[in-house]
Amino acid sequence: MQTPPAIPVPVLRLPRGPDGLSRGFAPDGRRALLKPEVPEIPESPVDQESRESQEQRARAVLRERYLRSLLAMVGRQVSFTLHEGVRVTAYFGATDLDVANFYVSQLQTPIGVQAEALLRCSDIIAYTFKP
Amino acid sequence: MNEWMKKGPLEWQEYTYKEVRVTASDKEYKGWVLTTDPVSANVVLVNILEDGSMSVTGIMGHAVQTVDIVNEGDHTVREKLMNLFMCGDCKAYSPEDLEKRKNSLKKWLEKNHIPITEQGDSQKTLCVAGVLTIDPPYGPENCNSSNEIILSRVQDLIQGHLAASQ
């Protein structure tokens, strides 16, 4: 196949961070908790590599299925179970990357209906819907 | 972080397609595991209700107390769960149709001097020059590659091929 002439790709520059020096992501801004380091019996580099690639493949498969399940929820009515046995229903909109927040609309609460709302994952125990 | 969240992806994968009982915040949930999100450790369970409809429940990773396997499951449940939410258009084609589409596309790409091989389990995935893969049902949107130039080129070729064979 002949290589076509290189097409210049537009570069997106992220805005400067709050400290005025960095770009985009804060160095310790990681919201998803890192797994605690578990001291392992030393493995040979080959074993370690193949186990890491196995883990990564598993991670990718699990994540893809989860993202597709979230996609199937969009626009549907979802029932959220919160603390103290409180149940609310709303139309699911989206979550963010770490699934830390759920963006919903028409949230039915005991004190009325909220047009748009953001549910924190720490407030949610479980959610359920019918595909 | 609770015990469940400390597990690794290979451990989480072990629970997939099995029927489990999960306790979360002193509530019990039972169902077939569709997946566990590696980022948040959220568990997604599927339940088939009496009227045949399905209900999907996501339990937040931070709330999970215990997870016990109740049923190892069999390959019929596995098949049903595997296809849930996945490649909706795959179901429209029979295995023979998919095979014909694959071979027809392979010939077309070879005619255009594109190095193409078959790979994966049951040779279902096409691989172009080692940098781009095409999954069934072999449409332009089924291409995967990190090289956007090759991706766009191959997508155009597939588009042209599909248009010509219509």
Side-chain angles (χ1 to χ4, degrees):
Chain A
M1 177 163 75
Q2 284 179 343
T3 22
I7 303 163
V9 179
V11 176
L12 178 71
R13 281 228 159 262
L14 295 169
R16 288 199 185 279
D19 58 2
L21 300 167
S22 57
R23 282 207 183 274
F25 309 108
D28 49 359
R30 201 193 162 94
R31 289 193 294 184
L33 298 161
L34 281 169
K35 258 181 33 174
E37 279 285 330
V38 179
E40 298 264 3
I41 28 164
E43 299 174 347
S44 75
V46 176
D47 283 341
Q48 205 172 26
E49 237 183 70
S50 95
R51 195 170 63 83
E52 273 174 16
S53 70
Q54 268 186 333
E55 275 193 0
Q56 191 47 33
R57 214 182 354 252
R59 226 180 253 120
V61 169
L62 291 170
R63 179 70 168 173
E64 188 190 344
R65 268 215 288 279
Y66 186 69
L67 291 175
R68 287 192 190 273
S69 77
L70 286 181
L71 261 178
M73 271 209 308
V74 175
R76 307 282 190 137
Q77 210 170 24
V78 179
S79 164
F80 292 92
T81 305
L82 310 178
H83 293 289
E84 311 290 330
V86 176
R87 278 238 176 102
V88 293
T89 50
Y91 286 96
F92 178 74
T95 69
D96 56 7
L97 180 65
D98 316 323
V99 200
N101 293 293
F102 282 68
Y103 164 59
V104 297
S105 50
Q106 301 307 311
L107 178 69
Q108 320 246 354
T109 76
I111 51 164
V113 179
Q114 273 286 21
E116 318 279 348
L118 210 58
L119 296 172
R120 291 180 303 194
C121 77
S122 49
D123 293 336
I124 304 172
I125 309 291
Y127 57 86
T128 181
F129 77 107
K130 280 208 182 167
Chain B
M1 218 180 353
N2 57 42
E3 286 305 312
W4 176 251
M5 290 175 83
K6 288 196 207 133
K7 290 189 193 287
L10 294 170
E11 289 180 86
W12 284 322
Q13 206 171 41
E14 283 295 304
Y15 290 88
T16 317
Y17 306 135
K18 299 194 177 151
E19 194 180 13
V20 299
R21 191 181 8 249
V22 180
T23 47
S25 282
D26 307 319
K27 277 185 243 311
E28 231 181 56
Y29 298 90
K30 194 161 138 193
W32 297 87
V33 179
L34 182 69
T35 187
T36 303
D37 179 29
V39 174
S40 56
N42 294 353
V43 188
V44 183
L45 300 181
V46 176
N47 276 294
I48 301 167
L49 310 168
E50 294 114 24
D51 59 2
S53 66
M54 274 195 293
S55 135
V56 179
T57 303
I59 302 156
M60 306 305 285
H62 67 80
V64 170
Q65 290 162 302
T66 63
V67 180
D68 298 304
I69 298 179
V70 169
N71 192 335
E72 293 284 323
D74 53 31
H75 82 103
T76 27
V77 177
R78 215 188 156 92
E79 281 292 312
K80 239 198 266 195
L81 290 176
M82 262 208 281
N83 291 322
L84 188 65
F85 306 143
M86 301 288 266
C87 64
D89 35 327
C90 255
K91 297 202 208 115
Y93 299 101
S94 69
E96 297 86 36
D97 275 342
L98 286 177
E99 187 71 23
K100 257 199 298 187
R101 280 172 80 93
K102 182 185 75 172
N103 290 326
S104 153
L105 179 61
K106 190 164 176 227
K107 283 202 183 60
W108 170 246
L109 292 173
E110 280 168 348
K111 209 162 152 207
N112 281 271
H113 309 295
I114 292 176
I116 183 154
T117 54
E118 286 176 49
Q119 67 173 40
D121 329 309
S122 56
Q123 306 289 78
K124 279 206 293 220
T125 307
L126 292 173
C127 182
V128 173
V131 294
L132 181 148
T133 58
I134 312 172
D135 289 314
Y138 314 107
E141 61 284 342
N142 304 117
C143 298
N144 286 296
S145 177
S146 53
N147 183 318
E148 50 188 272
I149 295 176
I150 297 188
L151 178 63
S152 131
R153 188 95 158 90
V154 172
Q155 281 178 322
D156 286 344
L157 282 170
I158 299 179
Q159 191 78 350
H161 171 66
L162 290 178
S165 53
Q166 252 15 319

